[in-house]
Amino acid sequence: MSEAQVLFGVLRHSARPDIVDAIERLVLEAPDRKLNRVNALAFAASHGFEEEQTVNAFLHAARLGLFEMSWNVLCPGCGGVLDANTSLKTVQSETYTCTLCAAGYEPTLDEMVEVTFTVSPRVRHIEAHNPHDLPPLEYFRQIYWGSGIDLPDEGYEEKVDQFVLESLELPPGEKAVISLQLPAEFTIIFEPVTHAAQFLDVKGEPSKERQALSLVFDRMHRHSEAIELRPGPLRVQMENHTDLRVLPSICLANEALHTLLGQRRPFLTAKQLLSNQTFRDIYRTDTIDIDQRLKITSLTFLFTDLRGSTELYERVGDLAAFDLVKTHFGILHEIVAAEAGAVVKTIGDAVMATFPTPDRALIAAMRMREAMLSLNSERGNDDLLLKIGIHEGPCIAVSLNERQDYFGQTVNIASRVQHLATSREIFATSSVLDHPRAAELMTRRGLTPQSHHVALRGITDAIDIFAIP
């Protein structure tokens, strides 16, 4: 039995067997390019699997060494990979620049950092393990474009031919000359290894005389300013001053290019993974560096607390109360994980959890309330009275007390909202209920939240809080 077979056998103890079977078939049968930067959400969709369970299976597979995780910073415009990282710890917080889009972006964990899975070389060697040996078209497909670009399996080369005039492989230290006829269209000379781009604004009367252009690829000069040229013959001299092969392509910025890059699909984001309970359980502190401050533009926080827990300890005794509170924690953890959330920490009898979207937090809150009512009914008393508060907004992901945590006003408001709730109440802010899927959830369940305009301690402006019946 091979090492891979042994590892897949172990994986079946941690993940759904049918998902593991599909991943094993992928490793054994798929072409090389399908095993580089696997999009876990696309894999789930193609097989009809539940997303969260599929992500969990890939996480366990990575822990076992079947796959390697990559945290790639993406351009939100073109979807290209601006920086590839083996860990979130090496993602920078300053601005990333996309020369192809001529724009700079401050990275956020929402849609600018994807998490992908590449098969480990110890399991199966694929071409992308040596990316600088890939043919130019495959380098673009497998290395430069992120997993959110839905590039076609069939007809990929033909579609690329519709906008690429010339392409070249230039070894380290080499020079080359390309001669071509420039059409009267905006043209880009793009090099994906050094991320260099030169814009050519081609317009005016056609030129009969040959025009000349010289470019040097050295990782320093990004050729950002557009050069005006006329339609007609062009001679481009290129020099590679790097220690790697470069792959300059001369492309038309036409409809074919925009159509190809406009085909998008969902991908696993860093934000989604940080709110995944399996990820937090497996990787714990191995996520954000102590000095990192990474922005998230939208995350939903849910806080719970037990009302009257002090009286509970006095009434039933420490041991019985401890067992009861522990049972309550176990139930809440299960519900949070089932709704694509993650428990960030527990504070006394309170829980702080995160969810990628408000609707999942609302469903979790309602399930928590029902679970506590059911547990109380079984015991014949009302010992477990849960207070719940939910808020959504921007925050900063940090490393605090050897734990991946969150900081910001959104967290403070969510905590304050929970403190306002009385027993068995779910309080949510307008930012939660204004979310389309959350609003649809309320309508579908026939619920009409009751509004309260309140002032929160430490928060300057009063806000609207809604009680979920």
Side-chain angles (χ1 to χ4, degrees):
M1 183 178 291
S2 70
E3 180 185 11
Q5 288 176 307
V6 172
L7 292 175
F8 276 113
V10 174
L11 182 58
R12 286 182 177 86
H13 295 291
S14 305
R16 268 182 43 181
D18 56 339
I19 298 178
V20 177
D21 290 344
I23 295 174
E24 186 172 23
R25 287 195 300 272
L26 179 78
V27 169
L28 294 175
E29 303 170 5
D32 278 12
R33 60 182 172 81
K34 292 284 190 179
L35 290 166
N36 181 54
R37 292 184 182 170
V38 176
N39 180 328
L41 303 191
F43 182 85
S46 66
H47 289 81
F49 296 142
E50 198 274 329
E51 280 187 1
E52 206 69 16
Q53 293 176 344
T54 304
V55 170
N56 293 345
F58 274 102
L59 287 171
H60 284 293
R63 179 181 61 85
L64 291 171
L66 287 161
F67 287 85
E68 297 172 344
M69 293 171 61
S70 180
W71 304 71
N72 307 317
V73 180
L74 305 179
C75 170
C78 69
V81 175
L82 305 180
D83 190 18
N85 302 270
T86 56
S87 167
L88 185 58
K89 289 183 176 182
T90 55
V91 173
Q92 305 166 23
S93 58
E94 61 261 24
T95 299
Y96 283 85
T97 300
C98 177
T99 54
L100 187 58
C101 294
Y105 305 94
E106 186 178 3
T108 66
L109 301 184
D110 299 72
E111 299 297 333
M112 274 192 67
V113 180
E114 69 169 2
V115 184
T116 59
F117 301 85
T118 297
V119 70
S120 169
R122 62 189 274 202
V123 174
R124 174 176 161 183
H125 184 81
I126 59 173
E127 292 175 334
H129 289 147
N130 300 305
H132 296 292
D133 293 335
L134 286 169
L137 278 180
E138 285 304 313
Y139 187 93
F140 272 100
R141 169 154 55 184
Q142 297 188 44
I143 306 300
Y144 185 74
W145 301 120
S147 67
I149 304 292
D150 194 8
L151 296 172
D153 287 328
E154 303 294 334
Y156 168 66
E157 293 186 14
E158 290 80 0
K159 290 183 183 295
V160 172
D161 285 342
Q162 295 175 20
F163 57 83
V164 173
L165 299 176
E166 296 283 350
S167 61
L168 182 68
E169 291 186 63
L170 195 57
E174 295 293 316
K175 300 179 182 179
V177 173
I178 292 179
S179 295
L180 72 157
Q181 285 290 126
L182 271 183
E185 296 185 54
F186 196 86
T187 304
I188 303 171
I189 302 176
F190 182 63
E191 201 296 297
V193 179
T194 61
H195 288 223
Q198 178 63 64
F199 300 127
L200 307 179
D201 192 4
V202 186
K203 57 187 178 183
E205 290 296 318
S207 171
K208 293 182 180 180
E209 297 181 3
R210 186 172 64 185
Q211 304 163 99
L213 181 62
S214 180
L215 298 177
V216 173
F217 301 106
D218 60 5
R219 293 190 180 277
M220 298 297 294
H221 183 43
R222 298 299 183 93
H223 319 295
S224 57
E225 294 182 4
I227 297 174
E228 280 195 20
L229 293 174
R230 292 162 63 186
L234 173 67
R235 181 180 186 272
V236 185
Q237 179 173 305
M238 302 181 184
E239 297 182 34
N240 181 5
H241 288 189
T242 76
D243 56 357
L244 296 170
R245 175 196 66 163
V246 295
L247 303 169
S249 294
I250 302 176
C251 310
L252 298 176
N254 59 14
E255 189 61 31
L257 173 63
H258 294 137
T259 298
L260 186 71
L261 301 186
Q263 304 300 314
R264 303 298 175 99
R265 61 184 180 179
F267 59 88
L268 180 62
T269 66
K271 164 190 155 178
Q272 187 174 345
L273 201 55
L274 291 183
S275 287
N276 176 285
Q277 190 65 55
T278 297
F279 176 77
R280 291 188 70 98
D281 291 344
I282 291 176
Y283 292 92
R284 299 185 182 276
T285 61
D286 189 28
T287 51
I288 296 175
D289 201 15
I290 192 69
D291 296 321
Q292 272 182 305
R293 306 289 185 268
L294 297 171
K295 289 188 176 181
I296 298 176
T297 58
S298 172
L299 192 64
T300 304
F301 291 88
L302 180 150
F303 280 82
T304 73
D305 197 10
L306 283 175
R307 180 175 177 268
S309 57
T310 302
E311 293 83 350
L312 173 65
Y313 278 85
E314 290 181 355
R315 187 168 64 255
V316 302
D318 288 346
L319 186 59
F322 176 79
D323 288 341
L324 192 55
V325 171
K326 184 178 178 182
T327 299
H328 133 272
F329 276 138
I331 292 171
L332 298 195
H333 270 76
E334 283 185 17
I335 292 172
V336 169
E339 295 302 331
V343 173
V344 179
K345 57 188 173 185
T346 57
I347 312 159
D349 300 326
V351 168
M352 172 185 173
T354 58
F355 296 83
T357 54
D359 57 307
R360 302 302 291 263
L362 280 171
I363 294 172
M366 288 185 264
R367 288 184 59 187
M368 289 173 181
R369 181 166 61 183
E370 291 167 4
M372 292 304 104
L373 288 172
S374 176
L375 189 58
N376 284 336
S377 177
E378 290 175 11
R379 292 174 48 81
N381 55 46
D382 286 333
D383 284 337
L384 299 174
L385 303 175
L386 201 62
K387 306 187 298 176
I388 305 173
I390 311 171
H391 181 51
E392 174 275 340
C395 64
I396 297 173
V398 299
S399 180
L400 194 63
N401 298 325
E402 299 184 347
R403 180 196 293 117
Q404 188 253 305
D405 208 333
Y406 301 93
F407 177 81
Q409 190 76 311
T410 299
V411 183
N412 297 335
I413 291 175
S415 176
R416 301 284 191 274
V417 169
Q418 180 269 311
H419 282 299
L420 288 178
T422 57
S423 61
R424 298 176 181 169
E425 284 187 326
I426 301 170
F427 277 7
T429 61
S430 57
S431 64
V432 172
L433 295 179
D434 286 344
H435 186 272
R437 289 202 296 272
E440 180 186 346
L441 174 68
M442 292 294 104
T443 302
R444 191 169 63 246
R445 297 199 175 190
L447 300 175
T448 305
Q450 301 299 311
S451 174
H452 306 276
H453 194 66
V454 299
L456 299 178
R457 181 172 59 85
I459 309 299
T460 303
D461 299 323
I463 66 171
D464 290 323
I465 292 178
F466 296 84
I468 312 295

